[in-house]
Amino acid sequence: MQNRGYIVMVLISLWLIATPMTVMGKSSQRRQIWSSKPSPEYGLYTVKNYFVSHGVNLNANALYYFGDVDNEGVAFNGGFNLDNLSLGGSFLMAYNLPTGNHCNLRFSLMGGTLRGNNELKFKTLNPPRDDFRKFNSILIQPAVGVQYYPFVRAGLYLYGGVAFTASIIRSYEFYYNKKISGSQTERRLLQGKTFGFLPMVQLGLGYSWRLTESWVMSAEIMIQEGLIDTHYLNLDAWPLAASQNSDHVELGGSFGTYINRYGQKQIHWNDGWFQVGLTITYQWNTCEHCRILNNYTGLR
């Protein structure tokens, strides 16, 4: 047993000596490559590029809300509503972790605002809409996803991810019918503030442009869709639990069939938003020793 131990120690020592010598031998051959322009066949925006590796994103977005407060069942069913648009609605900081020729992992933290309001339709439709709803909130959202570049020579990418969104609802306004006596009801406006949480999925499409060896600009469109829509698990306070308002009434049903303003049953999208934004990314090289090891171990 003792002899075997000595043999193992000798083999490890030889390996430790041989590895750096082999790497150093290869490094002189690669220095000229690293000092040249990036090779597009290895992915202009991923780990295989000699100059592009890890990156930090700063992103500005405009958000367009859809959900129960819009009360159209699906996005844009009643046309484009400016009251659902939050210009400059969010800022996003993200960290890119390259994983191959075509992929980057993206870890992000977003903060922003979201709003929805169907007041215009409530006032102008004939017959008038009787389900006025309005809200505005502040969003905080950690997320993780994958940027996939199908063409290593081009900046087109697909994005898919999952997120958990906290919605701090600064104000909401909902009409409801309060029972007075017997079958008599009184139309009342309920106002307040509350909060919600929502697990979401993200799907996006973007295009990146290399500005310099380290700086990249990207344009991106994305849809973010909630996975559930019930009390406290929403973005817009609807459905509203009795514990979330001073009148102690419950508004909206969980997992119920959606009925539009014309009394028609239709598909119901959970709360979410579309976003359009621009991203500025700073990407940096790994250290020379790391590049040597990466190429030596076949990651190139």
Side-chain angles (χ1 to χ4, degrees):
M1 291 294 292
Q2 190 174 6
N3 291 335
R4 289 182 182 179
Y6 287 137
I7 293 172
V8 171
M9 291 179 62
V10 170
L11 290 175
I12 292 175
S13 300
L14 290 174
W15 180 81
L16 290 174
I17 295 171
T19 297
M21 292 179 63
T22 306
V23 171
M24 292 299 292
K26 290 190 175 184
S27 66
S28 60
Q29 300 174 8
R30 305 217 183 258
R31 288 180 190 274
Q32 188 174 358
I33 298 176
W34 293 330
S35 63
S36 62
K37 293 296 182 183
S39 301
E41 66 268 23
Y42 293 118
L44 284 175
Y45 304 93
T46 57
V47 70
K48 302 305 182 183
N49 188 305
Y50 293 120
F51 283 94
V52 175
S53 184
H54 303 77
V56 176
N57 299 348
L58 176 61
N59 179 275
N61 296 296
L63 307 185
Y64 185 88
Y65 158 84
F66 56 84
D68 296 298
V69 167
D70 188 48
N71 202 8
E72 293 293 353
V74 296
F76 305 116
N77 190 43
F80 186 85
N81 183 4
L82 278 175
D83 287 329
N84 290 357
L85 182 65
S86 301
L87 290 176
S90 72
F91 291 95
L92 179 146
M93 281 294 296
Y95 173 72
N96 292 343
L97 177 64
T99 57
N101 257 349
H102 295 272
C103 291
N104 289 330
L105 287 178
R106 189 165 93 185
F107 303 89
S108 62
L109 178 64
M110 189 195 81
T113 62
L114 194 68
R115 65 174 186 159
N117 185 355
N118 65 10
E119 184 175 9
L120 182 62
K121 298 172 185 177
F122 172 77
K123 289 181 176 180
T124 60
L125 284 180
N126 188 19
R129 190 167 181 159
D130 62 355
D131 56 355
F132 168 61
R133 300 173 189 173
K134 180 180 180 180
F135 87 101
N136 69 80
S137 72
I138 297 174
L139 303 176
I140 302 173
Q141 182 196 70
V144 60
V146 176
Q147 284 178 317
Y148 174 71
Y149 290 84
F151 313 107
V152 294
R153 296 174 183 266
L156 178 71
Y157 67 86
L158 307 175
Y159 174 81
V162 293
F164 187 77
T165 305
S167 179
I168 304 168
I169 301 164
R170 297 180 294 177
S171 68
Y172 64 80
E173 298 180 18
F174 301 142
Y175 270 127
Y176 77 102
N177 293 318
K178 182 176 182 179
K179 188 175 181 180
I180 301 175
S181 62
S183 60
Q184 292 185 328
T185 59
E186 178 186 45
R187 194 72 169 161
R188 295 193 58 178
L189 180 64
L190 187 64
Q191 298 175 305
K193 60 179 66 175
T194 184
F195 62 89
F197 299 98
L198 192 61
M200 307 184 75
V201 293
Q202 306 170 311
L203 295 174
L205 176 68
Y207 198 93
S208 300
W209 294 271
R210 286 284 300 275
L211 303 179
T212 69
E213 291 177 353
S214 297
W215 291 93
V216 176
M217 183 176 70
S218 304
E220 182 179 84
I221 58 174
M222 184 185 295
I223 180 174
Q224 302 213 33
E225 170 75 13
L227 296 176
I228 196 170
D229 194 10
T230 185
H231 297 151
Y232 291 101
L233 294 173
N234 56 59
L235 299 176
D236 51 20
W238 189 282
L240 189 71
S243 56
Q244 290 179 283
N245 63 87
S246 57
D247 286 9
H248 303 294
V249 296
E250 184 175 306
L251 301 179
S254 301
F255 310 106
T257 302
Y258 188 81
I259 307 294
N260 68 11
R261 64 184 183 277
Y262 303 113
Q264 302 166 333
K265 293 182 180 181
Q266 62 185 54
I267 297 173
H268 178 201
W269 286 16
N270 295 334
D271 299 339
W273 67 81
F274 292 97
Q275 69 185 52
V276 180
L278 288 177
T279 301
I280 295 295
T281 304
Y282 177 76
Q283 296 174 309
W284 63 89
N285 304 344
T286 57
C287 64
E288 182 173 331
H289 177 65
C290 297
R291 290 198 300 267
I292 294 170
L293 289 179
N294 285 345
N295 284 280
Y296 176 77
T297 54
L299 293 179
R300 179 176 178 269

